[in-house]
Amino acid sequence: FGVSTVAAAWGLQRVLAKPLARLADAARQVGEGSLTVPIPRLPGTHEIGGLAESLAQMRDRLVTTIVLLDARSGERAAILEGMADGALLVDAKGHVLEANAPAVRLLGELAGLGPDAPPDVSLGKLTARGALSLADGDVELRGRGAATLVCAVRVRAVHDPGRHGDRAFVVFVRDVTHEREVDKMKLDFLSVVTHELKTPLTAIEGYARLLELGKGGELTARQTAFVGTIRGQ
């Protein structure tokens, strides 16, 4: 009986060893990223066939997931590159993990390194000179160059322990040089208008007050009401 059992076990091992080795090799290739490797359809017991089928289904689901992630990543990259504003993902140590083209250009110009400077170097230089800190809020940066470049920067902290440690930051950089120039022009215009109006209005109010006091002669009730309206306005 013992000899028969050993012989049966040996025969079963010979039957299963080669198919299991093929299945193990396929699993290894899938684990290494070879998602097109065929999963062998193994003859034999229900359990062995089920194991092969489960591995095939897992491979197919993994392929589907990767395709979806690639599509979403492509969409995100297209959105970021299509933005007029610069966008960066920065880790807690200030290293740039991702950056779109507008961010590379703006940071390079702000740091005085040129529009093609690496964003990691540009951001490091700006942080070192105290022009930028990784904190929530709006700030303005002024570049060092013949022309002053003003950018509004918004920093938002994000938690992403799966990829970038305990803390990372999304930094949005927007060139607001033209907007600031327009704002200055508006303020200058209002200042001029205010100055130009102040002198005649002061004179009008002063003479209206003199009329109320009767310095220009006695006023009728109706005239007094008119002068009161002038002063009130």
Side-chain angles (χ1 to χ4, degrees):
F1 177 75
V3 174
S4 299
T5 302
V6 172
W10 176 254
L12 181 62
Q13 181 184 15
R14 291 185 61 186
V15 171
L16 296 179
K18 190 173 182 179
L20 285 176
R22 291 169 55 200
L23 187 60
D25 182 63
R28 176 185 59 78
Q29 294 183 61
V30 171
E32 292 175 351
S34 180
L35 301 179
T36 59
V37 60
I39 305 300
R41 305 299 179 179
L42 302 180
T45 66
H46 174 72
E47 289 78 6
I48 298 298
L51 179 61
E53 184 64 27
S54 295
L55 180 59
Q57 292 176 2
M58 179 188 70
R59 190 271 314 272
D60 293 342
R61 285 196 298 268
L62 183 59
V63 170
T64 301
T65 301
I66 290 176
V67 169
L68 289 175
L69 289 176
D70 286 344
R72 292 174 182 173
S73 179
E75 291 173 358
R76 185 188 67 173
I79 292 172
L80 288 177
E81 291 304 320
M83 293 174 57
D85 296 349
L88 306 98
L89 181 62
V90 184
D91 66 16
K93 295 181 180 180
H95 299 302
V96 177
L97 303 172
E98 296 181 42
N100 65 355
V104 175
R105 178 182 62 82
L106 288 174
L107 287 179
E109 293 181 6
L110 284 169
L113 301 174
D116 298 323
D120 214 0
V121 175
S122 303
L123 187 63
K125 186 170 183 179
L126 289 170
T127 304
R129 80 182 200 207
L132 175 64
S133 61
L134 295 180
D136 290 346
D138 292 335
V139 297
E140 289 185 0
L141 302 176
R142 294 188 176 272
R144 295 178 178 177
T148 299
L149 183 67
V150 182
C151 287
V153 178
R154 181 176 295 275
V155 183
R156 287 291 177 263
V158 295
H159 296 275
D160 192 2
R163 291 184 59 197
H164 309 301
D166 293 336
R167 194 171 177 84
F169 300 89
V170 177
V171 182
F172 296 100
V173 187
R174 183 183 181 191
D175 185 353
V176 294
T177 305
H178 179 68
E179 295 177 22
R180 294 296 181 265
E181 290 175 352
V182 171
D183 290 341
K184 185 177 184 303
M185 291 173 60
K186 290 179 180 178
L187 290 175
D188 291 344
F189 175 75
L190 290 175
S191 177
V192 171
V193 170
T194 301
H195 175 74
E196 292 298 325
L197 289 177
K198 185 176 181 180
T199 300
L201 287 175
T202 301
I204 292 172
E205 183 181 18
Y207 278 101
R209 178 61 176 164
L210 290 175
L211 288 174
E212 282 186 327
L213 295 175
K215 301 298 183 181
E218 185 178 354
L219 301 178
T220 65
R222 191 177 185 188
Q223 291 172 337
T224 300
F226 286 169
V227 173
T229 300
I230 293 173
R231 288 197 65 232
Q233 293 299 316

